[in-house]
């Protein structure tokens, strides 16, 4: 369903991206924000899934600023490399790329974002600073930004067995942003990542249903 494209960025450098188009007129557009592992087959399937539900979906390859074509394994070696890359990239540049990706699919209608792990925090920032309705899955780096005033709605999904995001951390989301929906699931970190050990089908399905309802309201229905 998808294709690889180039996305112009604000830093005079193009990055790659995976673009998935729906059949017929789009309901809106969704920027799919990767985990620390790159635009993997899983992230491409996520984009394809949103396209199947009627949205133009684009997954920017943020790491192209540093290395082209990064797709890391879901093991300790891959995690270590991914952490190194996101530290070098920084959240500000990633947020600039989200804005560029959103602009590249502006013809789809109203644009939102969905992000996973590191991408969950980038998605939060997209709501806070770019005004894009966003869904944040298990963003462990969210806390320093919860004091900011959102410019768009944001929904949060967390796994109750996630050791990197404690119940106290989840509670701080509810305290800081009581107007936003915060959901928890009997699952671990990365419970949405099919094809890997943490995947929890029931939790992923329910979170997706809530995510699609969010986008139906804030993108398709806007």
């Amino acid at each position: 369903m998808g294709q690889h494209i180039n996305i112009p960025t604000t830093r005079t450098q193009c990055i790659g991206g995976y673009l998935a188009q729906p059949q017929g007129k789009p309901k809106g557009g969704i920027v799919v924000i990767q985990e620390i592992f790159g635009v993997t087959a899983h992230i491409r399937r996520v984009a394809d899934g949103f396209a199947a539900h009627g949205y133009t979906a684009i997954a920017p390859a943020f790491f192209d600023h540093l290395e082209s074509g990064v797709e890391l394994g879901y093991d300790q070696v891959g995690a270590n490399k991914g952490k190194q890359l996101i530290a070098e990239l920084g959240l500000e540049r990633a947020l600039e790329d989200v804005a560029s990706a959103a602009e590249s699919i502006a013809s789809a209608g109203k644009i939102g974002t969905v992000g996973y792990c590191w991408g969950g925090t980038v998605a939060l920032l997209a709501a806070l600073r770019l005004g894009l309705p966003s869904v944040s899955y298990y963003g462990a780096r969210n806390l320093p930004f919860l004091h900011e005033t959102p410019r768009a709605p944001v929904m949060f999904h967390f796994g109750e067995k996630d050791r990197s995001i404690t119940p106290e951390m989840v509670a701080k989301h509810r305290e800081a942003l009581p107007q936003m929906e915060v959901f928890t699931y009997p699952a671990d970190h990365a419970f949405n990542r099919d094809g890997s050990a943490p995947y929890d089908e029931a939790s992923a399905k329910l979170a997706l249903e809530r995510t699609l309802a969010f986008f139906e309201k804030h993108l398709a229905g806007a």
Side-chain angles (χ1 to χ4, degrees):
M1 183 179 296
Q3 60 180 312
H4 293 277
I5 65 166
N6 289 323
I7 304 170
T9 73
T10 55
R11 305 201 179 204
T12 67
Q13 176 189 6
C14 284
I15 60 172
Y18 180 78
L19 176 68
Q21 297 275 20
Q23 293 184 349
K25 183 180 178 181
K27 296 180 179 179
I30 298 173
V31 180
V32 178
I33 308 172
Q34 63 177 61
E35 304 167 297
I36 64 172
F37 302 100
V39 180
T40 60
H42 163 65
I43 293 298
R44 296 193 294 271
R45 286 194 298 273
V46 169
D48 287 340
F50 284 115
H53 285 285
Y55 296 92
T56 296
I58 187 167
F62 302 94
F63 293 161
D64 278 3
H65 288 292
L66 310 171
E67 299 180 19
S68 62
V70 174
E71 290 188 46
L72 303 173
Y74 301 124
D75 53 16
Q76 196 58 53
V77 173
N80 290 342
K81 177 65 172 179
K83 289 174 183 177
Q84 173 191 333
L85 290 170
I86 62 167
E88 187 175 350
L89 181 71
L91 289 169
E92 292 296 335
R93 190 185 301 185
L95 197 59
E96 292 172 10
D97 289 346
V98 170
S100 297
E103 184 177 353
S104 76
I105 59 169
S107 62
K110 192 166 177 61
I111 309 298
T113 84
V114 60
Y116 305 86
C117 183
W118 171 77
T121 296
V122 179
L124 168 61
L125 289 172
L128 295 174
R129 301 179 184 177
L130 301 179
L132 301 178
S134 298
V135 179
S136 172
Y137 277 75
Y138 32 82
R141 300 164 178 84
N142 292 353
L143 294 191
F145 309 107
L146 294 180
H147 67 282
E148 297 186 26
T149 301
R151 293 174 52 196
V154 57
M155 173 184 284
F156 298 96
H157 300 300
F158 297 107
E160 294 162 4
K161 301 175 184 178
D162 188 342
R163 288 178 293 178
S164 67
I165 305 173
T166 65
E168 292 75 20
M169 292 169 70
V170 174
K172 288 183 179 180
H173 288 71
R174 294 192 171 106
E175 293 165 8
L177 299 171
Q179 73 276 37
M180 305 303 178
E181 294 179 296
V182 180
F183 297 106
T184 63
Y185 304 83
D188 206 340
H189 190 79
F191 65 79
N192 186 71
R193 191 201 302 142
D194 58 353
S196 68
Y199 178 61
D200 185 292
E201 183 177 5
S203 297
K205 181 179 178 181
L206 180 55
L208 178 60
E209 289 173 0
R210 289 166 169 167
T211 296
L212 290 171
F214 176 92
F215 287 135
E216 188 70 30
K217 177 180 180 181
H218 296 295
L219 301 184

